[in-house]
Amino acid sequence: MDVLPEGLSLIVKMEHNPWKTLSQKQVYSNPWISVSHREVLNPAGNPGIYGVVQFQNYAVGIIPIDEAGNTWLVGQYRYTLEQYSWEIPEGGCPLGEDVLAAAKRELLEETGITAQQWTPILEADMSNSVTDERAYVFVATQLSFGEAQPEETEDLRVKKLPLEEAIQMALDGRMRDALAMLALLKVKAMLDASEPLTPRSP
């Protein structure tokens, strides 16, 4: 195995794609996802198959924080897992739409909160072995409060709690949503490093 120079990531080292796509066929599509079946040559040069789920939206997540250090979580029943889930406010951004605009919309819809200051803190590839879903997370501050405007598919509960408690939920297993956990642990790391959550004007 090659030894990488300090600071050089494997992403840079492995710059070529060792997979070869021989053919692909879309087998399912709806407004949220499409699924394709692909005949491939794997990195060893042997034939194989790959199923790819492509998303029609980016995922966006928001951690709203007020001046007292509180945040808001959203609870809902997740159909795919058949279980209840507490999460940060989250939603979808159609491809081609500005992710910050989508984050503002989702925060308002799910919690009734608007914010004057926004800080992008995280980009992540979700479940990258089978999907191309990409997620973006913002911290929202200087908050104002109104009425939530959930979609008809959303039966939501909104809970205000100290940010520290939300982080603890991500650490102790009470929260299992991947994007929410990533976002809250990133905020914890930033706070532990005394890194300011520098706002960006909307």
Side-chain angles (χ1 to χ4, degrees):
M1 180 178 178
D2 294 337
V3 177
L4 298 176
E6 184 177 357
L8 180 63
S9 73
L10 282 172
I11 293 175
V12 175
K13 186 69 175 179
M14 296 292 293
E15 62 187 13
H16 72 284
N17 181 1
W19 293 82
K20 182 176 181 180
T21 303
L22 301 176
S23 66
Q24 65 183 70
K25 178 182 179 181
Q26 186 180 89
V27 295
Y28 177 76
S29 180
N30 68 29
W32 301 278
I33 63 168
S34 65
V35 182
S36 60
H37 173 83
R38 306 186 182 195
E39 301 288 336
V40 301
L41 294 180
N42 66 27
N46 297 319
I49 62 172
Y50 219 111
V52 177
V53 180
Q54 294 179 290
F55 278 70
Q56 314 287 12
N57 298 273
Y58 298 120
V60 293
I62 309 97
I63 301 179
I65 304 174
D66 69 10
E67 294 180 355
N70 297 303
T71 192
W72 282 256
L73 298 181
V74 175
Q76 61 184 305
Y77 192 87
R78 285 301 188 182
Y79 179 86
T80 51
L81 301 177
E82 297 186 351
Q83 66 184 29
Y84 203 81
S85 177
W86 283 103
E87 307 163 5
I88 64 173
E90 298 174 5
C93 171
L95 303 183
E97 182 182 353
D98 178 68
V99 290
L100 177 56
K104 292 178 178 181
R105 180 183 65 247
E106 291 297 332
L107 182 62
L108 176 62
E109 287 181 358
E110 295 196 351
T111 67
I113 295 173
T114 56
Q116 293 300 310
Q117 294 183 325
W118 292 81
T119 306
I121 64 164
L122 179 68
E123 295 183 22
D125 298 318
M126 312 299 291
S127 192
N128 62 7
S129 64
V130 293
T131 85
D132 66 354
E133 184 180 23
R134 178 161 294 178
Y136 299 85
V137 177
F138 298 85
V139 166
T141 54
Q142 293 192 11
L143 309 180
S144 301
F145 304 94
E147 293 294 325
Q149 304 167 24
E151 298 178 358
E152 64 176 16
T153 58
E154 298 175 319
D155 183 9
L156 307 179
R157 293 169 57 197
V158 179
K159 176 165 63 176
K160 177 182 177 181
L161 72 170
L163 176 63
E164 292 84 355
E165 183 178 342
I167 292 171
Q168 188 58 41
M169 290 174 67
L171 289 168
D172 65 21
R174 285 178 289 162
M175 180 182 294
R176 295 173 56 89
D177 177 75
L179 182 55
M181 294 171 69
L182 281 171
L184 288 165
L185 295 182
K186 177 63 180 288
V187 166
K188 180 183 186 322
M190 293 173 72
L191 294 174
D192 288 347
S194 299
E195 182 178 345
L197 299 177
T198 305
R200 182 178 75 178
S201 298

